[in-house]
Amino acid sequence: MIPLIKPEVGEEEIEAVRAVFQTGHIAQGPTTKKFEALFAEYVGAKHASATTSCTAALHLAVCSLGIGRGDEVIVPSFTFPASANAVALQGATPVFCDIDLKTFNVDVKSAESAVTERTKAIMPIHLFGQSADMGAVARMAKKHGLRVIEDAANAMGTFYEKKHVGTLGDFGCFSFHPRKILTTGEGGMLTSEDDALASLAASLKDHGKDETGAKFVRPGFNYRMSDILAAIGIVQLKKLDATIKRRVQLAQRYSQLLEGVSGVTPPHHPAFTNHTFQSYVVLLDNGIDRDAIIKKTRERGVQTQIGTYAVHLQPAYARSAASLPNAERADKQALTLPMYGQMTDADQQLVVKTLEGILR
Ligand SMILES: Cc1ncc(COP(=O)(O)O)c(C=O)c1O
């Protein structure tokens, strides 16, 4: 079986975890602080705060911006439900907008048409490893006085022009789930350029403590990362540039192999962003039964997967009735191909041959 992913963790990570156990400090402590500092340096953020997941980071961002009941946040529909859940669980309403089918990222015109007097923020998603059009997002946010929460779950190593994503809005939220190119098993990071917002988020992350840690000044959560996971993160961060380089090679190879395979559009990214290929996602022509393709490739030993979800169609958000044609098309026709560092040329050829054989 050619699996969808193989998390790239090994002896170095095991050694790092062993070293943490030997210190006796296994909850949040000095290793997490070190990981946060290295992460902040890598992405060029003023503040970076390690969390239990990207969902936790998104929740902290929404809470810290004071978004709640009666407020609306514009969220591109084609994403993992966690983006919208962070808004809904604060009592606010995620208002879904459409995407650009070439990039699978926010269609800023559609986002702008969703603005009302209740809109407080926009949440651009940097899907699959490429940046949303943050220039257009920033112009729109400025025009309407909106906050910007970047969902960078998929976008470690992704830049908008010269700036790393997650440093362009009020908050950036990253994921270290095993399907991400930097993994700690589970985990996340919240970045911010604003001292006051970062300090509030740090308090909310840690039971509502004040900066001295001696007083509880507000109700808070426990969204802290443990030093065990932070140790893995430090090793993964060291390997990140090599990981991305390999993924870009694999993606170029896929795109060559897919040339001339009819019915399949390979990924595209505009000049303002690089693409780390956290996922290599193609778009199948209308009329091709994507779910049948997934089933058949798996029967033939190749694990393919959907892209992600048009969240406005999920039962949890079905009350949102607007038609978002591109998100709906991506929901039905996007297909993720297997990708991992040890993949060989022969593996990639087999994936493409299998897909081509089924499509024919
Ligand atoms: C776009 C997006 N946002 C948020 C999340 C949630 O990340 P986590 O699993 O770290 O909570 C994911 C997870 O896949 C995602 O793809």
Side-chain angles (χ1 to χ4, degrees):
M1 177 64 113
I2 297 184
L4 189 65
I5 57 153
K6 278 191 195 167
E8 286 157 47
V9 283
E11 283 308 314
E12 242 192 299
E13 283 83 353
I14 293 169
E15 271 317 306
V17 169
R18 196 190 308 277
V20 166
F21 277 116
Q22 280 159 355
T23 67
H25 207 133
I26 58 173
Q28 183 178 280
T31 310
T32 304
K33 275 224 155 6
K34 185 173 169 197
F35 181 37
E36 290 172 340
L38 291 169
F39 189 98
E41 190 188 338
Y42 187 94
V43 304
K46 192 163 181 199
H47 302 279
S49 181
T51 57
T52 46
S53 66
C54 179
T55 305
L58 289 165
H59 194 200
L60 288 172
V62 174
C63 276
S64 302
L65 292 170
I67 293 166
R69 204 156 292 285
D71 296 334
E72 294 176 354
V73 176
I74 297 171
V75 180
S77 172
F78 192 56
T79 182
F80 193 70
S83 317
N85 293 347
V87 175
L89 287 170
Q90 274 310 103
T93 305
V95 175
F96 295 105
C97 72
D98 213 350
I99 55 159
D100 173 349
L101 261 188
K102 279 211 185 96
T103 62
F104 297 122
N105 276 331
V106 59
D107 170 352
V108 180
K109 278 206 185 93
S110 167
E112 188 155 19
S113 70
V115 173
T116 72
E117 73 270 10
R118 295 175 164 216
T119 311
K120 289 289 181 303
I122 176 167
M123 186 185 285
I125 324 274
H126 306 298
L127 211 60
F128 305 141
Q130 64 164 303
S131 173
D133 184 350
M134 290 305 289
V137 168
R139 283 191 292 279
M140 178 203 145
K142 190 164 178 214
K143 182 168 154 198
H144 298 282
L146 307 182
R147 299 294 204 158
V148 178
I149 301 169
E150 297 181 70
D151 181 337
N154 301 167
M156 199 51 211
T158 301
F159 289 78
Y160 173 78
E161 292 178 344
K162 293 212 159 52
K163 291 191 87 177
H164 197 289
V165 298
T167 65
L168 297 140
D170 292 287
F171 281 111
C173 307
F174 294 84
S175 173
F176 307 137
H177 176 272
R179 274 203 60 189
K180 309 307 185 293
I181 61 173
L182 186 164
T183 185
T184 59
E186 294 279 4
M189 192 71 78
L190 181 68
T191 50
S192 178
E193 303 310 297
D194 183 294
D195 296 345
L197 284 177
S199 162
L200 177 55
S203 168
L204 288 167
K205 178 179 108 170
D206 192 8
H207 301 293
K209 287 180 190 160
D210 69 1
E211 272 163 24
T212 69
K215 287 205 180 87
F216 296 89
V217 291
R218 56 180 62 82
F221 310 102
N222 175 359
Y223 283 162
R224 297 180 312 240
M225 177 178 272
S226 95
D227 270 19
I228 303 168
L229 300 189
I232 301 173
I234 290 170
V235 177
Q236 289 269 300
L237 191 56
K238 264 199 295 187
K239 297 180 181 172
L240 185 66
D241 288 341
T243 305
I244 293 170
K245 195 168 164 209
R246 177 69 185 136
R247 296 187 79 83
V248 170
Q249 276 172 353
L250 289 165
Q252 281 167 351
R253 180 80 182 127
Y254 260 145
S255 296
Q256 277 167 5
L257 290 169
L258 285 166
E259 256 172 45
V261 176
S262 72
V264 180
T265 306
H268 160 87
H269 64 281
F272 59 68
T273 179
N274 61 323
H275 201 325
T276 64
F277 299 97
Q278 176 268 330
S279 290
Y280 186 91
V281 182
V282 301
L283 189 68
L284 301 178
D285 284 359
N286 281 334
I288 296 173
D289 183 346
R290 191 271 322 268
D291 292 341
I293 300 276
I294 292 176
K295 188 163 173 283
K296 287 183 187 159
T297 57
R298 287 182 184 192
E299 281 164 6
R300 295 176 197 191
V302 173
Q303 190 188 16
T304 58
Q305 178 63 292
I306 66 163
T308 189
Y309 305 86
V311 179
H312 73 287
L313 299 181
Q314 288 298 310
Y317 294 104
R319 62 187 174 278
S320 125
S323 160
L324 302 170
N326 290 347
E328 286 165 28
R329 168 125 196 259
D331 180 271
K332 273 180 69 185
Q333 301 302 120
L335 180 76
T336 308
L337 303 188
M339 191 184 272
Y340 45 88
Q342 308 99 319
M343 221 179 172
T344 63
D345 234 28
D347 292 335
Q348 287 195 286
Q349 277 175 26
L350 182 65
V351 171
V352 174
K353 271 215 158 58
T354 304
L355 180 62
E356 202 177 5
I358 296 166
L359 284 169
R360 236 191 260 122

